[in-house]
Amino acid sequence: MATQTAAPCTGSTLLQPISEIINLPVDQVNFVACQLFALLMAVWFRLYLHPSKTSPFIRHVVATLLGFYLALFCFGWYSLHFLVQSGLSYSVMVFAGLEHMHKYCFIVTLGYLILCQVTRVYVFDYGMYSADFTGPMMVITQKITSLAFEIHDGMTKREGQLTPSQKYLAIRRMPSLLEYLSYNCNFMGILAGPTCSYNDYMAFIEGTCYQPRHQENGKENGKYKQTEPSPKNDVISKLCTCAISLGIYLSLCNLIPVEHSINDEFVRTTPFYLQVIYLYVAMLALRPKYYFVWTLADAINNAAGFGFNGYNKDGSPRWDMISNLRILDIEFATSFKMFLDNWNIQTSLWLKRVCYERCPINPTAATFLLSAMWHGVYPGYYLTFLTGIGMTMAARAVRHNIRPYFMVSDSYKCIYDVITWAWTQVAISYTVVPFVLLTVAPSLKFYRSCYFCLHFLCLLVVLALPVRSRRRQAKEQKDGLQDNQVEHNSTDNNCNQKAKAT
């Protein structure tokens, strides 16, 4: 955490004695307690409010009321912001024209989030990196904007104008107010998400989330019995991951702080390669905090019966539809993109669906900018994402130009993987330092101590190894296929004409 200073809690103080015993802020204690309570409620919700036993209306009402209660316990009157943001956005959806509704909704929702972040950071609580009411608003922002674009796709566009994923996500009718609030503020995701699609959530509420995934091409999946799968094993496994992650974080976070990497004495007396190793280990010790929060949130959804994603080849059920991270793929990532694709997965999908696939000009830069705005107003966020743009472009250039030379044999590929793994871990650690330090002065101090080395290296790589954008490559491939098709048709026509003449 960026600071250990205690901040006034806006939520319940019932757990203040426990907070003092374990020496953690009471708002964080409230958060963990509410998530554990939500886990118990999720089991009860799946067993006693199963779709076969009650109506979708009851499930919507209970999920929403429990969500509001948890928000009130954690954030007090600040939780009213969740209703205000949701209410304003729903009004835009209902009263604005469908043609431009998604744009207006995006502006209103993101604008209200940024307004709340500005007041929280610069008016009340600058520098506090703890549980705060804008965290749930970030998830609600994702859900509202996704919903608006999906309604726009489903109600204004023809099938041929949509990609396969957009066809699946498209919504053909306007959700009712209860459905809308249940989707945004249900108890399973109100505190830590993760974001999910509206169609998947409605399938869960109505009890149809298992049916489509039980069939392949209209046939049953092999010999395995098509009964409703149990999430018990996956929930237990994820809770064990949570316990290990929490233990590692509490043991190491104070021993290896990231802030020590800009200590003048440390920078002056420590060899550069040891500074790099320290930075990597410090970031490694910081990540389990996110592993704990996101894995617990995933376990809560699974315990309620939400998150089923079909079956593995051995017939075991998969409960990773809304998982937010893949820990092993993160720690052993061999590229910048691979790391980002497995970190905060649902946010990456949201950025891809809302911005990257729809932005006509420089979608990579636009996506990083939106990600920075969504995260908050600390200057360190913008330094991180600006650096991330250069890192992404350089990594893409290296992959397109250098990687093919190492694919000639398994031994060469192994060498390439080891080198790119080390480079990726160093690049990620270097990039996210401002994200942790938050402010401009210490962030620039860190980069000056490294002589901005990776910034200049990325610039040289991008200039020396130019690479075409993915959209241009896709367009050229599409044009090539069309040319081949035209040539093939012309050849067929010529053959037909010769046959007729003969």
Side-chain angles (χ1 to χ4, degrees):
M1 295 181 186
T3 179
Q4 297 296 326
T5 307
C9 179
T10 59
S12 172
T13 57
L14 180 66
L15 302 179
Q16 183 70 43
I18 298 178
S19 169
E20 295 172 355
I21 292 173
I22 62 178
N23 195 29
L24 283 176
V26 67
D27 53 353
Q28 294 184 17
V29 175
N30 285 348
F31 172 83
V32 175
C34 284
Q35 287 293 78
L36 295 177
F37 176 76
L39 180 65
L40 297 176
M41 289 297 98
V43 175
W44 171 81
F45 192 82
R46 182 172 62 88
L47 296 178
Y48 295 98
L49 290 183
H50 192 273
S52 63
K53 299 178 181 179
T54 188
S55 66
F57 175 82
I58 297 298
R59 285 167 63 84
H60 278 307
V61 170
V62 172
T64 306
L65 292 179
L66 283 174
F68 286 150
Y69 171 75
L70 294 180
L72 195 63
F73 187 90
C74 278
F75 307 110
W77 69 269
Y78 281 108
S79 56
L80 291 177
H81 285 293
F82 308 163
L83 286 177
V84 174
Q85 184 186 34
S86 299
L88 288 174
S89 302
Y90 191 72
S91 300
V92 173
M93 291 182 186
V94 172
F95 295 109
L98 289 173
E99 189 65 30
H100 301 289
M101 171 269 294
H102 59 300
K103 300 176 184 178
Y104 300 149
C105 196
F106 180 86
I107 294 172
V108 170
T109 306
L110 186 63
Y112 191 84
L113 171 66
I114 293 174
L115 177 63
C116 290
Q117 289 171 333
V118 168
T119 57
R120 185 189 71 81
V121 170
Y122 293 105
V123 178
F124 299 113
D125 203 19
Y126 190 89
M128 294 305 299
Y129 200 74
S130 185
D132 69 87
F133 72 98
T134 60
M137 289 183 67
M138 293 166 69
V139 178
I140 293 174
T141 297
Q142 290 183 347
K143 291 183 176 181
I144 293 174
T145 52
S146 297
L147 181 65
F149 278 92
E150 290 161 9
I151 292 174
H152 173 76
D153 290 342
M155 300 181 69
T156 65
K157 292 185 177 181
R158 297 187 299 272
E159 290 282 332
Q161 297 176 290
L162 303 176
T163 65
S165 64
Q166 289 172 347
K167 291 178 183 177
Y168 172 76
L169 297 171
I171 299 170
R172 307 298 178 183
R173 67 171 182 86
M174 185 68 67
S176 68
L177 181 59
L178 176 61
E179 293 169 340
Y180 174 79
L181 290 176
S182 175
Y183 171 61
N184 287 332
C185 302
N186 64 81
F187 74 96
M188 301 172 295
I190 183 67
L191 297 183
T195 299
C196 61
S197 77
Y198 177 80
N199 285 340
D200 288 333
Y201 180 75
M202 290 300 296
F204 156 72
I205 289 292
E206 295 169 357
T208 61
C209 55
Y210 307 108
Q211 297 173 4
R213 303 180 187 277
H214 285 176
Q215 298 189 0
E216 293 180 5
N217 301 322
K219 299 179 181 180
E220 291 187 352
N221 286 340
K223 61 182 179 180
Y224 305 107
K225 188 177 180 181
Q226 300 302 320
T227 57
E228 183 175 319
S230 171
K232 181 178 69 174
N233 293 337
D234 287 79
V235 171
I236 293 174
S237 173
K238 290 173 182 178
L239 291 179
C240 291
T241 302
C242 289
I244 295 172
S245 300
L246 184 61
I248 293 174
Y249 173 69
L250 293 178
S251 301
L252 299 179
C253 66
N254 292 326
L255 295 177
I256 317 174
V258 177
E259 293 79 4
H260 188 63
S261 61
I262 60 173
N263 180 274
D264 293 334
E265 183 69 18
F266 175 79
V267 172
R268 186 172 61 254
T269 60
T270 306
F272 184 73
Y273 74 94
L274 290 181
Q275 294 182 39
V276 173
I277 294 175
Y278 178 88
L279 179 64
Y280 166 69
V281 175
M283 290 299 177
L284 190 66
L286 192 63
R287 287 199 285 268
K289 174 177 66 174
Y290 299 96
Y291 296 165
F292 168 76
V293 172
W294 287 336
T295 305
L296 179 57
D298 194 19
I300 292 170
N301 282 272
N302 292 167
F306 187 29
F308 176 67
N309 197 26
Y311 292 90
N312 294 309
K313 292 181 179 180
D314 61 357
S316 59
R318 293 173 53 194
W319 289 89
D320 60 353
M321 185 176 70
I322 56 173
S323 295
N324 227 358
L325 75 169
R326 303 183 188 96
I327 296 177
L328 292 180
D329 290 336
I330 290 171
E331 299 300 341
F332 295 100
T334 57
S335 70
F336 205 83
K337 181 181 183 299
M338 183 178 176
F339 187 101
L340 296 180
D341 286 345
N342 293 285
W343 173 270
N344 205 353
I345 296 171
Q346 301 306 318
T347 295
S348 298
L349 289 175
W350 170 70
L351 291 168
K352 176 184 176 183
R353 293 165 180 170
V354 170
C355 183
Y356 188 84
E357 293 181 343
R358 302 176 190 267
C359 183
I361 302 174
N362 203 339
T364 299
T367 301
F368 275 104
L369 177 61
L370 174 60
S371 183
M373 295 172 64
W374 174 79
H375 274 92
V377 292
Y378 287 114
Y381 296 163
Y382 292 85
L383 287 175
T384 287
F385 290 110
L386 286 173
T387 304
I389 295 173
M391 292 291 180
T392 301
M393 296 174 64
R396 188 180 299 169
V398 169
R399 182 176 180 83
H400 284 223
N401 292 275
I402 305 299
R403 185 173 182 268
Y405 295 102
F406 287 86
M407 296 296 106
V408 294
S409 66
D410 292 339
S411 58
Y412 277 44
K413 184 179 184 301
C414 183
I415 295 173
Y416 177 84
D417 288 341
V418 171
I419 294 174
T420 52
W421 171 82
W423 158 257
T424 299
Q425 299 304 320
V426 172
I428 288 290
S429 301
Y430 178 90
T431 301
V432 301
V433 166
F435 194 95
V436 178
L437 299 180
L438 300 179
T439 54
V440 173
S443 301
L444 293 181
K445 182 179 180 181
F446 167 78
Y447 283 144
R448 281 197 301 268
S449 71
C450 300
Y451 304 102
F452 292 88
C453 57
L454 293 192
H455 287 85
F456 290 119
L457 181 60
C458 288
L459 180 61
L460 291 176
V461 168
V462 171
L463 293 177
L465 302 174
V467 61
R468 291 170 297 177
S469 68
R470 294 185 177 183
R471 290 192 174 185
R472 183 178 176 184
Q473 292 182 42
K475 183 179 179 182
E476 290 179 356
Q477 291 176 358
K478 184 178 179 180
D479 293 342
L481 291 174
Q482 291 177 349
D483 292 341
N484 291 336
Q485 185 67 31
V486 170
E487 183 178 353
H488 178 71
N489 292 339
S490 300
T491 303
D492 288 346
N493 291 334
N494 292 334
C495 291
N496 291 336
Q497 290 175 4
K498 291 179 179 180
K500 289 180 180 179
T502 301

